[in-house]
Amino acid sequence: MKILESFRDKELVKKGIDDLHRLIKHDWVIMEICGGQTHAFLHYGLDDMLPKQIELVHGPGCPVCVTPLELIDKALAIASQPNVIFTSFGDMLRVPGSNTDLFSVRASGGQVKIVYSPLDAVKIAQENPDKEVVFFAIGFETTAPNNVMSVLQAKDLGLKNFSI
Amino acid sequence: MCLGIPGKIIELYEANGILMSKVDFGGVLREVCIQTLPEAKVGDYTIVHAGFALNLLSEQDAMETLEILREIDFLNDEMDQMVRK
């Protein structure tokens, strides 16, 4: 809470913005790496307060922040099924869907497990043959090979209860 | 989610037909899939993301990257203290 409060300190923000206006001597194009930064800039109206010379360009975003809401809602619906063990990277659990998030699904009895690698999800499928194990295969080019590897691995092991 | 972390390969083996390894991240050992780097040898440094080795890097590059990560951690601590004051 302390951190939130200090970012809402009007004087502190004004000083930062004034410093920027004073220091900036030429046009700058800055790319936000993370979708969370883009979100914060727009949500708090910081983009309107910056000097005109600063142009913000929306960057690539990581697999978590570029995951569309619709996909999160689908994940929440799957994770709520009684016969499903839903596996996901830990970062996804707090990302809100339309009504809830994976943490809340877990708190209300859904089986949601955090994995570090898609291959960990395959292991869980091996250990739980009577459950459907679903891995939340978020991301793009960088994560696609890993996700595919988990499917190949599941196929080689003859698993019928693993999907992504 | 965004960060790949460098570590040292200390063991290579095959599991269920794919190349796996044990990688040492500053004393923490993790199992890492190294299927995409068949040229990797024990003692090499690799950068790992979500349980998969992405590429090999020199010991010097690995140390520099770890140093930067430590600095970020240090900055986080400093920020925390600044905010608490």
Side-chain angles (χ1 to χ4, degrees):
Chain A
M1 283 315 274
K2 277 266 169 67
I3 290 174
L4 285 181
E5 279 163 28
S6 37
F7 279 112
R8 284 176 185 156
D9 183 331
K10 198 171 159 186
E11 288 308 310
L12 202 61
V13 172
K14 190 174 176 311
K15 187 183 172 303
I17 295 286
D18 287 348
D19 284 349
L20 273 178
H21 277 276
R22 189 167 48 79
L23 291 169
I24 198 150
K25 302 282 185 240
H26 58 83
D27 290 349
W28 268 31
V29 180
I30 301 176
M31 180 178 279
E32 306 135 24
I33 299 177
C34 168
Q37 295 169 333
T38 309
H39 181 83
F41 269 123
L42 297 177
H43 186 80
Y44 294 105
L46 294 176
D47 52 327
D48 286 336
M49 299 165 78
L50 293 173
K52 289 272 177 289
Q53 293 99 316
I54 295 183
E55 184 192 346
L56 294 174
V57 177
H58 306 320
C62 79
V64 174
C65 50
V66 299
T67 302
L69 181 68
E70 187 197 349
L71 203 67
I72 294 168
D73 284 341
K74 283 181 183 166
L76 293 165
I78 295 169
S80 307
Q81 302 289 316
N83 200 37
V84 165
I85 299 178
F86 195 82
T87 57
S88 167
F89 293 126
D91 325 35
M92 287 310 295
L93 266 63
R94 283 188 201 282
V95 180
S98 300
N99 299 310
T100 179
D101 58 34
L102 285 168
F103 255 124
S104 311
V105 170
R106 182 159 80 170
S108 49
Q111 287 208 66
V112 178
K113 287 194 178 182
I114 295 174
V115 290
Y116 173 67
S117 156
L119 294 179
D120 295 342
V122 176
K123 261 186 214 149
I124 293 173
Q126 240 180 325
E127 291 158 4
N128 296 276
D130 55 331
K131 296 272 185 187
E132 284 297 326
V133 175
V134 182
F135 175 66
F136 197 2
I138 55 162
F140 32 83
E141 289 86 343
T142 54
T143 45
N146 310 2
N147 297 336
V148 169
M149 184 66 87
S150 71
V151 174
L152 287 175
Q153 179 89 117
K155 183 173 174 247
D156 286 347
L157 291 168
L159 298 180
K160 301 274 180 219
N161 64 329
F162 178 77
S163 49
I164 64 171
Chain B
M1 185 78 236
C2 317
L3 284 181
I5 313 277
K8 189 178 188 177
I9 301 168
I10 56 165
E11 194 185 332
L12 290 167
Y13 53 94
E14 219 185 88
N16 303 318
I18 56 173
L19 198 56
M20 298 294 290
S21 61
K22 282 236 161 61
V23 177
D24 180 349
F25 300 96
V28 178
L29 296 186
R30 282 219 75 118
E31 190 173 41
V32 170
C33 175
I34 199 151
Q35 177 76 13
T36 52
L37 296 172
E39 70 275 27
K41 299 185 299 295
V42 169
D44 284 347
Y45 281 84
T46 176
I47 194 142
V48 177
H49 180 253
F52 286 78
L54 301 184
N55 56 3
L56 295 175
L57 70 174
S58 70
E59 181 169 2
Q60 192 191 342
D61 285 348
M63 291 305 150
E64 277 172 16
T65 309
L66 284 171
E67 190 50 42
I68 291 167
L69 291 176
R70 269 193 281 270
E71 271 176 36
I72 294 173
D73 200 37
F74 175 74
L75 281 177
N76 278 340
D77 286 349
E78 265 202 351
M79 284 284 280
D80 274 355
Q81 282 165 18
M82 264 169 59
V83 167
R84 281 201 197 101
K85 267 176 196 168

